Amino acid sequence: MGEPPESLAHEALSRPVRGGNAFEETLARLLQLIRLGLVGPGEALAPERELAARFEVSRDTVREAIRSLAEAGYLESRRGRYGGTFVCDPLPLAGGEPAAETTADELDDILTLRAVLEVGAARAAAGRTLTALERESLHQRLSELAAADPADYRRLDSRLHLTIAELSGSPSLVSLIAENRMSVNRLLDRIPLLAPNIAHSDQQHEQIVWAVLIGDADRAASAMAEHIEGSQSLLRAFLS
């Protein structure tokens, strides 16, 4: 029961830190794992030693990043036999973070890349023969999203989309979609979460998942394209 302990998306965001500021990059990776729902509220991060080995940074760097995220309300430390570093439940509201301005060209770039990546991922996922565990994982993500409270909707929405990307079987594609999804979520955090839009998105998610499960690549790609076009229209209406 359940999904494998390590998903492709989790592996993609746990790759070694390359270039730049090691602390900032490590903090960004940990925040991605949290904000994209790969480590959910109440769940534990991997131990510091393991994170340091994966990111190829010092344990002091990992410890400093964890401390900063704890101060920001994303993580908490627990002592004792079952202690460790856990994701806070509830998470801080995204609206409390400063919103950076996005130019029209930047908006076009983010949304165009999303369409190319995610439509391709849906097609690739539907083109593979899925294992029983993969099918169960997809069903689970869809059910979680359908039952989500508004505060959790975007995190679980990200998790469903990343699960579809994982089913493509391409770690490189998963990594690109995860990076792009962080940019998309920063845009989504700046617009209201509308009940009619949630209902419509849920219907579209069902169509995408159904097409992937029956192995209809053309239908999966078409359903994903329609879904993303709706999100693009909403973002452009509020942010353009």
Side-chain angles (χ1 to χ4, degrees), residues 86-216:
F86 293 80
V87 177
C88 290
D89 187 4
L91 287 167
L93 294 176
E97 300 170 1
E101 290 298 322
T102 304
T103 67
D105 287 344
E106 289 170 338
L107 182 63
D108 285 341
D109 181 56
I110 292 169
L111 297 182
T112 298
L113 181 60
R114 183 192 182 194
V116 170
L117 293 175
E118 296 213 37
V119 171
R123 180 181 294 279
R128 289 182 62 242
T129 300
L130 303 181
T131 67
L133 197 59
E134 287 173 329
R135 298 172 73 86
E136 180 188 345
S137 176
L138 190 55
H139 274 299
Q140 181 181 348
R141 297 307 178 195
L142 181 63
S143 297
E144 289 171 347
L145 182 57
D149 291 331
D152 285 333
Y153 189 85
R154 283 177 177 153
R155 176 177 61 84
L156 295 176
D157 182 34
S158 297
R159 193 66 189 91
L160 173 63
H161 281 263
L162 282 174
T163 297
I164 293 170
E166 290 165 11
L167 297 181
S168 73
S170 170
S172 296
L173 180 57
V174 173
S175 181
L176 290 170
I177 288 177
E179 293 284 350
N180 176 255
R181 185 71 196 200
M182 289 296 291
S183 298
V184 171
N185 282 352
R186 282 192 288 270
L187 298 175
L188 290 171
D189 285 342
R190 294 166 54 190
I191 69 174
L193 191 60
L194 306 173
N197 179 248
I198 290 177
H200 190 216
S201 291
D202 285 344
Q203 292 174 353
Q204 292 176 325
H205 287 141
E206 288 181 8
Q207 294 170 3
I208 296 166
V209 168
W210 178 75
V212 169
L213 291 173
I214 67 171
D216 190 330

Side-chain angles (χ1 to χ4, degrees), residues 36-118:
L36 293 176
L38 299 176
V39 185
E43 295 179 353
L45 289 182
E48 289 180 4
R49 180 178 299 174
E50 183 178 334
L51 291 171
R54 291 185 178 199
F55 295 148
E56 294 186 1
V57 298
S58 69
R59 288 188 67 179
D60 285 343
T61 296
V62 171
R63 190 173 296 116
E64 186 178 357
I66 288 174
R67 184 183 302 116
S68 296
L69 288 175
E71 291 173 354
Y74 286 93
L75 296 173
E76 62 179 358
S77 295
R78 301 178 191 171
R79 298 185 180 278
R81 182 177 179 182
Y82 301 105
T85 302
F86 293 80
V87 177
C88 290
D89 187 4
L91 287 167
L93 294 176
E97 300 170 1
E101 290 298 322
T102 304
T103 67
D105 287 344
E106 289 170 338
L107 182 63
D108 285 341
D109 181 56
I110 292 169
L111 297 182
T112 298
L113 181 60
R114 183 192 182 194
V116 170
L117 293 175
E118 296 213 37

Side-chain angles (χ1 to χ4, degrees), residues 119 122 204 207-209 211 218-228:
V119 171
Q204 292 176 325
Q207 294 170 3
I208 296 166
V209 168
D218 288 341
R219 186 169 296 183
S222 177
M224 181 65 82
E226 181 181 347
H227 174 57
I228 289 177

